Amino acid sequence: EAGVAQSPRYKIIEKRQSVAFWCNPISGHATLYWYQQILGQGPKLLIQFQNNGVVDDSQLPKDRFSAERLKGVDSTLKIQPAKLEDSAVYLCASSWGLAGEITGELFFGEGSRLTVL
Amino acid sequence: QKEVEQDPGPLSVPEGAIVSLNCTYSNSAFQYFMWYRQYSRKGPELLMYTYSSGNKEDGRFTAQVDKSSKYISLFIRDSQPSDSATYLCAMKYPGANSKLTFGKGITLSVRP
């Protein structure tokens, strides 16, 4: 079974530039998550989709971050304009159902590492 | 006070040692508890989950939850160099829209 695919793996940009990350979840997984993991910290949820609807985007800085999940499959996360503090690994994860499932098992991709200079 | 606090690291132990990793939490509404393992430059993967107080064992790993003290632990017996990774505790409330809250993670190094 193929895992969660993310691209690009690494990206270096200057502040105020824009960047986009792409995620393809595991086939059949209804729920898709974007997490931000700053060095030395645990992942922080940015946005959660159920199929192509947003379930939770309370921690997404909406003045500069946007995300979409067209047709309930692939998703893109965009940052525009980027700030120095956006340097982090952006992790995409997927699961069979809503995060209310008991196991809490999310399947993560390898992440997209962003450096903002 | 953060919702989830995890013991600071890094932690370095010799091969074969017993390792104890700990997290505390402040919100008694958390009912489901997980441990994720994250190898360098990889995404986290679920190691263990539990939703009740007590112990749950899986091979060399034991997850312990004490809801009265708001304290969870992960024990690794006979630690191996392949256990070298960052360990993240995570927890969530019941409910369809509940999200995982992660600890900061602790990096473990097992020396051969």
Side-chain angles (χ1 to χ4, degrees):
Chain A
E1 179 182 73
V4 176
Q6 290 189 246
S7 67
R9 289 292 314 277
Y10 304 93
K11 189 74 176 179
I12 300 174
I13 62 173
E14 295 190 349
K15 60 183 179 183
R16 291 188 290 274
Q17 287 187 324
S18 63
V19 63
F21 302 114
W22 172 83
C23 173
N24 180 242
I26 291 173
S27 178
H29 280 193
T31 309
L32 185 146
Y33 315 78
W34 283 101
Y35 282 84
Q36 180 192 58
Q37 187 173 25
I38 293 173
L39 186 65
Q41 297 185 22
K44 182 184 87 171
L45 180 69
L46 293 176
I47 189 166
Q48 176 183 334
F49 293 94
Q50 170 79 358
N51 295 311
N52 60 348
V54 175
V55 173
D56 185 348
D57 64 356
S58 57
Q59 297 191 93
L60 186 74
K62 297 181 184 64
D63 57 335
R64 298 183 301 105
F65 286 65
S66 64
E68 61 181 5
R69 189 182 185 196
L70 298 177
K71 300 180 181 178
V73 182
D74 294 4
S75 177
T76 55
L77 176 71
K78 296 179 181 177
I79 308 174
Q80 181 180 17
K83 292 186 175 181
L84 296 177
E85 59 261 36
D86 298 332
S87 294
V89 176
Y90 291 86
L91 294 163
C92 180
S94 67
S95 67
W96 285 107
L98 291 174
E101 294 176 42
I102 289 176
T103 64
E105 183 162 21
L106 274 58
F107 295 85
F108 285 86
E110 294 193 326
S112 294
R113 185 177 298 269
L114 174 65
T115 302
V116 182
L117 302 176
Chain B
Q1 182 185 15
K2 289 191 174 181
E3 281 193 298
V4 180
E5 299 273 8
Q6 189 163 359
D7 283 353
L11 184 62
S12 180
V13 302
E15 184 174 353
I18 296 174
V19 177
S20 172
L21 307 174
N22 308 299
C23 284
T24 57
Y25 60 97
S26 57
N27 193 332
S28 58
F30 286 129
Q31 295 294 318
Y32 305 132
F33 306 93
M34 301 100 204
W35 286 94
Y36 277 79
R37 178 175 61 194
Q38 185 174 23
Y39 290 114
S40 180
R41 300 189 180 274
K42 299 290 187 182
E45 57 179 349
L46 182 66
L47 191 59
M48 295 191 73
Y49 76 91
T50 184
Y51 54 91
S52 60
S53 285
N55 294 349
K56 182 177 181 179
E57 191 173 315
D58 184 1
R60 297 185 295 108
F61 298 89
T62 299
Q64 185 177 79
V65 174
D66 183 345
K67 289 185 179 180
S68 61
S69 301
K70 299 190 182 71
Y71 189 91
I72 69 171
S73 298
L74 178 70
F75 298 97
I76 307 174
R77 290 185 300 281
D78 186 25
S79 56
Q80 302 294 308
S82 58
D83 296 328
S84 298
T86 296
Y87 291 81
L88 300 151
C89 62
M91 49 198 76
K92 62 180 182 176
Y93 323 132
N97 292 332
S98 171
K99 63 176 183 280
L100 281 181
T101 300
F102 285 87
K104 289 177 63 173
I106 182 168
T107 298
L108 170 67
S109 176
V110 181
R111 308 186 302 272

